[in-house]
Amino acid sequence: MIGGLGGGGFGSAFAGAAGAGLSAALAPQLNSLSKGIAESTGSTLLGNLASNVLASAGGALVGGSAGAATAANADLYNRQLHSKEETLADRLADESGGKYTAQQIDDQMAQMNLTANGQAESGGVRVAVGDQPNDGTNWTPYGVNQAGQQVWAQSLGAGDPNLQAYIVNGAQGSGLTYQATTTGSNPGLFRLPDFVNFQVDYFVGSVWGTFTRDGNSFFGYGVNLGIPNSVGAGVNVSAGYLNTTSVSPGQTNNFAGGYAGGGSALYGGLGGGIMVSPGNGTATVIGFGAGTNVGKTDNPASVGWGFSNDQGKTGIRW
C-alpha cells in the first residue's frame, strides 16, 4: 500500500486513493522541483519538504484532507538509492571477495535506514511512477495509474541480518551511516549452542570446521598443543556458547571468523574449555573426543590458536 488510508469508511478510502493518484501523476515534476531546490540551497531536506507540500496541496484539491495525507505519503516514500550508495555497494562487493554481489548489497541498503549529510531517510519498499528507476535495485511493474503512467514497486527480497551488519561496518568513513532494519532472532540465556565445532588434531597441527547459528560454515587451521605430551592425534566434537545473556544476529559469525584461541581440559573423553576471539568476547565450549598419544602420558589439558575463514551460507540455521 502506498500510503496508510486509515479508517473512516469507503468515502475516506476513495478520497485517499484520489490524492495518491494525483501525486503519482505529478511525481516527475515534483522530483524535478525537489532536485532543483536541493541543488540551489544545498539541502536535500528542503527540496523534499517543498515537493511534499505541493503534493499535499494537490491531493487536497482532489480528495480533501484524506487525499492530502495520502498524496504526501506517496511522494515522501519514494526514495531511491543515491549514486554514492551504488559506488559504496560496488566497493563492498569487491571487498567481500565474491561472498556478496553489488545487487545483493543494493537490495539490503534500500531496506536500511540511512543518514547522510545530517539527513535521515528511512528504509523500506518504495514506489515510483513513469520510467523504471535505475538505482541498482529491482523494480516490479505494479499496474498503471489514472494518468496512464506505469507504477513500479521495489522488489528487495528478504532482509539479511548478516549482510546488513556487513554494510554497517563497511560504510564507516564513507559519509553514509546505515542502521540495520532486519535483526532476526535474538536468543536469550537458555538457548541451543551458538556454534558446533568438528576438529582433527595431529601432533601440534589442527584443522576444524565450525557451523554457526547464523547459518554459516567456517574452515580453520592452527596449532593445538597437548599438555604435557604434544606427540599424538585426536578428533573431537564440541558445542560452544558465547558468554553473553543474548546473541544478536551476526554476532556468532563475528566470533567464529578470524583469529581465536583458548584452552580446554579433558577427562574420560568428556571435556570443556574457554575460547577467546579478540574483539568479539569469549565462549564456553563443551564436548567429547578420542585420541592417542605416543607414550604412556595422558594429556588432561591442551591450548591452541588458529584462524578461521567464512565459507558462506549453509542454509541451516537455528
Side-chain angles (χ1 to χ4, degrees):
M1 181 179 294
I2 294 177
L5 298 180
F10 176 80
S12 176
F14 180 82
L22 179 61
S23 178
L26 294 176
Q29 291 82 4
L30 292 174
N31 287 338
S32 297
L33 173 66
S34 174
K35 182 178 180 181
I37 293 176
E39 291 177 349
S40 300
T41 63
S43 172
T44 302
L45 178 60
L46 287 178
N48 289 341
L49 286 176
S51 174
N52 219 247
V53 167
L54 290 179
S56 299
L61 290 176
V62 177
S65 60
T70 308
N73 286 340
D75 192 66
L76 179 63
Y77 291 103
N78 193 21
R79 181 179 90 80
Q80 302 171 23
L81 289 186
H82 303 286
S83 59
K84 191 173 181 179
E85 291 182 272
E86 295 184 64
T87 301
L88 175 61
D90 291 337
R91 175 172 69 79
L92 294 180
D94 290 338
E95 293 177 353
S96 75
K99 181 177 180 180
Y100 300 119
T101 66
Q103 179 70 69
Q104 291 173 318
I105 295 175
D106 281 338
D107 289 347
Q108 294 301 312
M109 282 180 169
Q111 300 182 51
M112 302 170 70
N113 298 332
L114 168 68
T115 301
N117 299 321
Q119 307 299 325
E121 301 180 49
S122 60
V125 174
R126 308 296 175 180
V127 296
V129 297
D131 295 335
Q132 179 180 353
N134 184 23
D135 67 337
T137 63
N138 290 318
W139 292 81
T140 302
Y142 204 70
V144 178
N145 63 15
Q146 293 181 346
Q149 295 173 304
Q150 178 68 58
V151 179
W152 301 87
Q154 274 182 324
S155 178
L156 302 176
D160 185 332
N162 296 324
L163 179 48
Q164 290 194 9
Y166 175 72
I167 293 171
V168 169
N169 292 330
Q172 294 179 8
S174 69
L176 303 174
T177 302
Y178 291 91
Q179 179 184 18
T181 53
T182 299
T183 57
S185 61
N186 191 339
L189 181 61
F190 299 99
R191 59 183 185 263
L192 293 173
D194 296 317
F195 60 88
V196 177
N197 193 72
F198 301 86
Q199 184 166 318
V200 177
D201 303 315
Y202 182 76
F203 192 30
V204 295
S206 187
V207 294
W208 57 84
T210 304
F211 300 86
T212 70
R213 68 160 51 253
D214 292 312
N216 287 52
S217 64
F218 293 78
F219 173 77
Y221 51 91
V223 296
N224 189 64
L225 180 64
I227 300 174
N229 181 12
S230 61
V231 183
V235 295
N236 67 78
V237 180
S238 59
Y241 295 83
L242 302 188
N243 293 323
T244 59
T245 56
S246 62
V247 179
S248 61
Q251 185 175 354
T252 305
N253 284 343
N254 290 337
F255 183 90
Y259 290 98
S264 61
L266 182 70
Y267 180 80
L270 300 176
I274 296 293
M275 288 184 62
V276 179
S277 176
N280 298 304
T282 64
T284 299
V285 180
I286 57 175
F288 60 92
T292 181
N293 291 328
V294 176
K296 299 181 179 180
T297 305
D298 291 329
N299 289 329
S302 66
V303 293
W305 185 263
F307 183 85
S308 295
N309 287 301
D310 191 348
Q311 304 299 300
K313 295 288 187 180
T314 63
I316 301 174
R317 56 191 305 171
W318 60 89

